[in-house]
Amino acid sequence: MDGQLLAGKVALITGAASGIGASTAKLMAHHGARVALADVDLKGVAENAAAIAENGGQALAVEADVRDGQCVAEMVKRTVERFGRLDCCVNNAGIDGSASPLHEYTEENWRDVLEVNLTGVWLCLKHEISYMLEQGVTGSIVNTASAAGLVGLPLGVSGYVASKHGVVGLTRAAALEYVRQGIRVNAICPGAVRTPMLDDAITSGMTTEAELSSMQPIGRLAAPREVAEAAVWLCADASSFVTGQALAVDGGWTVQ
């Protein structure tokens, strides 16, 4: 993508301390957006915000836990106070949880994964959309689901798969509820992406890089920037007729 696709826009990205979120924030800044980076890892988002500023962009680092509605509301408020508006959001924060067969999957693990991956996205939507409606701002929101939100996985991650399917359904419902108010809501569904979370899964023995690469007809893992490019396009005016979609960025995984 060339040019300033997001010039004049303000973007909020959760889970922006590393991986897809960090790459998305930096790419959005490159395309002219002023960006708020939110994460429970304040050090991580502060470092990424500083890197954006060093490259001539404007960035705000916010410590935020998407499981906490009050915290999410404050995250949106701080973004608007700093930059004056909110045009784009990428609700990206997520965890994979501990891997185990479904019958051994603990209630605590289930709750943790659903609380971050699904309730967290719902809370972000709730407060982002509330602001957009109150201020009369049209906008675009992108939720990070997963290829595991479109198909199943035999890797002992039933909570993760359920949560990501939930994100896709939530995206479609929100898109229909707010399309007439000028708010677009879409999801991206990445396949296997080289991120710290995926590295942890490989290190733990949950899976291997070779296994994940073989699932994707393209034959390799994605780089975070390849997913970020999709999020930027969905936030840009170039995708103005696109809403309610679950865009697979998965090297062909889910079309097999």
Side-chain angles (χ1 to χ4, degrees):
M1 293 181 180
D2 296 321
Q4 297 281 295
L5 291 177
L6 301 175
K9 295 186 183 295
V10 173
L12 168 62
I13 306 98
T14 68
S18 64
I20 293 169
S23 186
T24 299
K26 291 173 182 177
L27 188 59
M28 286 184 148
H30 172 75
H31 280 289
R34 292 169 288 166
V35 295
L37 297 83
D39 204 293
V40 291
D41 177 4
L42 180 58
K43 182 176 182 289
V45 286
E47 290 174 352
N48 291 332
I52 289 170
E54 287 172 5
N55 286 318
Q58 297 184 52
L60 169 69
V62 181
E63 184 176 12
D65 185 342
V66 297
R67 299 172 299 177
D68 183 332
Q70 185 174 351
C71 190
V72 172
E74 182 65 20
M75 174 186 75
V76 173
K77 179 182 177 182
R78 287 190 60 190
T79 301
V80 174
E81 286 177 344
R82 172 69 178 271
F83 297 123
R85 58 185 296 120
L86 179 63
D87 303 286
C88 314
C89 305
V90 181
N91 299 321
N92 172 74
I95 61 173
D96 53 4
S98 300
S100 60
L102 188 148
H103 72 283
E104 297 176 357
Y105 208 85
T106 67
E107 292 182 27
E108 180 182 14
N109 194 21
W110 174 270
R111 284 193 295 268
D112 288 345
V113 172
L114 270 290
E115 196 171 19
V116 175
N117 293 3
L118 183 54
T119 302
V121 170
W122 174 74
L123 285 169
C124 287
L125 285 169
K126 175 180 174 66
H127 292 286
E128 292 156 357
I129 291 171
S130 293
Y131 167 77
M132 291 177 178
L133 293 175
E134 182 180 345
Q135 300 300 312
V137 175
T138 59
S140 177
I141 300 174
V142 177
N143 300 320
T144 300
S146 170
L150 302 172
V151 297
L153 282 180
L155 299 175
V157 287
S158 54
Y160 181 82
V161 171
S163 70
K164 294 303 185 177
H165 273 72
V167 170
V168 171
L170 181 60
T171 297
R172 291 169 174 162
L176 290 174
E177 285 192 39
Y178 298 103
V179 63
R180 293 298 181 91
Q181 288 96 326
I183 299 172
R184 296 186 297 114
V185 187
N186 291 285
I188 50 175
C189 298
V193 185
R194 194 177 294 282
T195 64
M197 188 167 76
L198 189 69
D199 289 342
D200 289 344
I202 292 171
T203 301
S204 71
M206 180 190 304
T207 185
T208 66
E209 181 172 336
E211 181 180 17
L212 292 170
S213 296
S214 69
M215 287 180 175
Q216 303 179 134
I218 203 168
R220 63 173 176 84
L221 303 184
R225 171 140 182 171
E226 292 177 292
V227 181
E229 292 279 5
V232 167
W233 180 73
L234 286 170
C235 284
D237 293 340
S239 62
S240 57
F241 204 61
V242 180
T243 195
Q245 299 305 302
L247 176 60
V249 188
D250 66 355
W253 181 352
T254 56
V255 298
Q256 297 179 92

